[in-house]
Amino acid sequence: ARGLTAIADIAFDSRGRLLILEMDGKGLNDPGFNTGHPASGVLLQINADGSRQTLLAHGLIYPTALVVRGNSVYVSNYGVSSASVGQGGEILRITLPRG
């Protein structure tokens, strides 16, 4: 997989697809990254043929880790510098597409 930015974590789902969590969809050079106003993080799925699907691209602020359990992905949100954005950390549950 190429063209990825600011990878925070990777995992494989139960079907062997690679999941990539990017901390900031614009990369670490995003001016907002260090000022408490980053672009949303991104959760991507990379399929065996190399194609990719964006699973979530909104509401991920400083995501730092992911865990796959069954058909769900759990993502830590506001995992870095949560005080600077006025939000405590949280865990998001994202249901994977079946296809």
Side-chain angles (χ1 to χ4, degrees):
R2 297 178 186 266
L4 302 166
T5 65
I7 296 172
D9 203 358
I10 64 171
F12 289 91
D13 70 10
S14 61
R15 297 182 63 197
R17 298 173 295 196
L18 176 63
L19 302 178
I20 298 174
L21 179 64
E22 295 181 325
M23 189 176 284
D24 184 315
K26 292 184 179 180
L28 294 178
N29 292 326
D30 174 12
F33 185 79
N34 292 315
T35 64
H37 302 288
S40 179
V42 179
L43 179 61
L44 297 167
Q45 173 183 296
I46 309 295
N47 301 306
D49 64 2
S51 64
R52 64 178 67 188
Q53 179 178 356
T54 300
L55 300 178
L56 187 61
H58 303 286
L60 293 176
I61 307 302
Y62 296 120
T64 54
L66 67 96
V67 172
V68 179
R69 291 293 180 259
N71 199 40
S72 296
V73 177
Y74 297 88
V75 174
S76 62
N77 206 24
Y78 299 101
V80 172
S81 191
S82 60
S84 70
V85 293
Q87 173 73 33
E90 65 183 2
I91 303 295
L92 301 176
R93 180 177 174 254
I94 300 149
T95 302
L96 294 171
R98 298 215 179 254

